[in-house]
Amino acid sequence: MAYLELEGVAKQFGAQTVVDDFSLAVGKGEFVSFLGPSGCGKTTTLQMIAGFLDPTRGAIRLQGKDLTAIHPAKRGLGIVFQSYALFPHMTAAENVAFGLEMRNVPRGERTERVRAALAMVGLAGYEDRHPRRMSGGQQQRVALARALVIKPSVLLLDEPLSNLDAKLREEMQIELRQIQRTIGTTTILVTHDQNEAMSLSDRIVVMSQGRIEQIGTPQETYEKPASAFVSQFLGKTNDFAATIDRTSAPGRLIVGSWSAPAPVGRSGPVTISIRPERIDFGDAGLSAKIVTRIFQGNHWLFQCESECGPATVIRQNDGRSQPVEGEAVHLTWRPEDMSVRGVA
């Protein structure tokens, strides 16, 4: 049995369907991210799990128990909002203790749990500091400690790192993942940041226009995108029109002057996707010309114009000579490094 299960969940506001036919089974201790652009329904789905919104239809179950009739405060969930929502007149310790007070936890136990929670997020010694005297990263840690101190059955994170600068955000991603791994709390993260979802998640739910486009591990969704939307949204990619010709066994997948054995069960026009770092320059392959060459430290970024359209290539700065702008090249890749979409 799934620990947290959403079955056929939908949400409508009047005639507008914001979430449609959302089904997901989350295992105990799993870290799952809802990833998609603004307006795709990811926050609405999180709010239905939290109980702030009622689903129009469908079921939400936690350990087999229907949540839809349970008040948000009684669901036992921990929530960290984008704004952190700390009480400005309370110290860090008082903010963290608030949920325990509402649950009538005895003072002695409350004090010890608050101390342990703040230490867990690296804020030992900050118990008496008010939010206005804390940095954005420190406030984020207080909000996380407040959510975790109640020992929630599920931790819900609504873009909690979006207000941080890039360096601090990356540091907090590492800390958040370590904390989640240590305590083993089932976690749902809402984010529009592809790198954040891939860094933190056991699985990613990619959403678009209220529907699920793909569910998979970060590696699966990145390397084998199930749709054009996933391919384009989750990092840089190259999409080429191709044809599978089965006039002779076993058939060939043809992309301009590049070809390979055809995948099983497909024929006719298809689209292939290859990530830029999976393409290299070789003696044969797709004919192209280097339009732009950009040095980016540990790698080179090439913008090419190929016989099948624009192409992006990322090549490691590993001591090899690199082609220059205007140079004719051939693009090549391994068949296993591309994904194929189209006619079956």
Side-chain angles (χ1 to χ4, degrees):
M1 179 186 300
Y3 186 71
L4 173 67
E5 184 177 17
L6 290 82
E7 182 178 3
V9 171
K11 182 61 181 179
Q12 292 178 263
F13 295 101
Q16 183 183 12
T17 300
V18 180
V19 177
D20 190 23
D21 195 27
F22 188 104
S23 295
L24 174 70
V26 180
K28 185 173 176 57
E30 191 174 15
F31 196 123
V32 175
S33 290
F34 296 168
L35 173 67
S38 297
C40 73
K42 56 188 185 294
T43 294
T44 299
T45 305
L46 192 82
Q47 289 176 337
M48 287 190 285
I49 297 172
F52 302 144
L53 292 173
D54 295 324
T56 303
R57 60 180 178 274
I60 302 175
R61 292 183 286 269
L62 180 61
Q63 300 183 75
K65 186 176 182 179
D66 184 10
L67 286 181
T68 53
I70 301 176
H71 189 275
K74 301 294 185 182
R75 296 190 180 192
L77 309 179
I79 305 171
V80 178
F81 299 100
Q82 182 177 351
S83 63
Y84 313 144
L86 299 178
F87 298 114
H89 63 285
M90 292 184 179
T91 64
E94 289 168 342
N95 267 282
V96 175
F98 182 78
L100 299 177
E101 291 179 9
M102 295 300 99
R103 289 163 174 78
N104 297 315
V105 175
R107 180 183 295 272
E109 180 184 348
R110 192 165 69 227
T111 300
E112 179 56 30
R113 286 171 63 173
V114 168
R115 184 203 60 77
L118 286 171
M120 179 175 57
V121 299
L123 289 180
Y126 286 75
E127 290 83 357
D128 296 329
R129 189 168 295 189
H130 286 81
R132 65 179 177 274
R133 296 181 54 226
M134 306 180 83
S135 67
Q138 289 167 344
Q139 291 181 43
Q140 195 272 348
R141 288 181 173 92
V142 174
L144 181 59
R146 184 178 60 183
L148 292 173
V149 75
I150 64 172
K151 299 179 181 178
S153 51
V154 178
L155 177 63
L156 304 178
L157 306 172
D158 188 5
E159 306 232 29
L161 308 182
S162 61
N163 292 329
L164 306 179
D165 62 56
K167 183 175 183 295
L168 182 56
R169 184 170 186 159
E170 184 175 322
E171 292 173 356
M172 286 304 305
Q173 287 173 4
I174 295 171
E175 289 188 23
L176 179 57
R177 183 57 168 164
Q178 291 174 338
I179 291 169
Q180 193 272 340
R181 277 282 189 251
T182 299
I183 63 179
T185 301
T186 305
T187 302
I188 306 292
L189 168 72
V190 162
T191 183
H192 64 273
D193 187 306
Q194 303 95 322
N195 290 331
E196 186 167 282
M198 288 191 288
S199 299
L200 293 172
S201 311
D202 295 311
R203 285 190 299 160
I204 298 173
V205 180
V206 186
M207 299 181 65
S208 174
Q209 299 182 341
R211 299 186 67 89
I212 294 174
E213 290 278 340
Q214 185 172 356
I215 301 174
T217 66
Q219 185 173 358
E220 288 168 348
T221 52
Y222 182 79
E223 296 186 350
K224 301 295 179 182
S227 68
F229 174 83
V230 177
S231 176
Q232 295 294 333
F233 188 76
L234 202 64
K236 296 182 178 70
T237 195
N238 296 286
D239 283 349
F240 298 131
T243 302
I244 294 180
D245 182 359
R246 295 198 183 277
T247 55
S248 60
R252 302 290 293 179
L253 171 64
I254 302 169
V255 187
S257 53
W258 185 96
S259 68
V264 175
R266 294 180 181 272
S267 62
V270 294
T271 299
I272 66 166
S273 293
I274 315 106
R275 297 295 181 184
E277 66 272 17
R278 300 295 188 181
I279 299 179
D280 206 347
F281 304 123
D283 296 329
L286 204 63
S287 298
K289 183 175 75 172
I290 304 294
V291 176
T292 305
R293 184 180 81 161
I294 302 173
F295 179 64
Q296 296 189 323
N298 66 343
H299 67 269
W300 291 85
L301 175 67
F302 298 89
Q303 297 292 345
C304 308
E305 189 60 46
S306 80
E307 60 186 291
C308 292
T312 301
V313 178
I314 294 176
R315 208 174 192 218
Q316 291 301 308
N317 180 27
D318 54 7
R320 292 179 293 176
S321 62
Q322 306 292 343
V324 298
E325 293 179 0
E327 184 174 340
V329 294
H330 291 96
L331 309 182
T332 186
W333 58 89
R334 301 183 305 171
E336 60 266 32
D337 288 335
M338 66 183 180
S339 62
V340 182
R341 307 187 307 274
V343 180

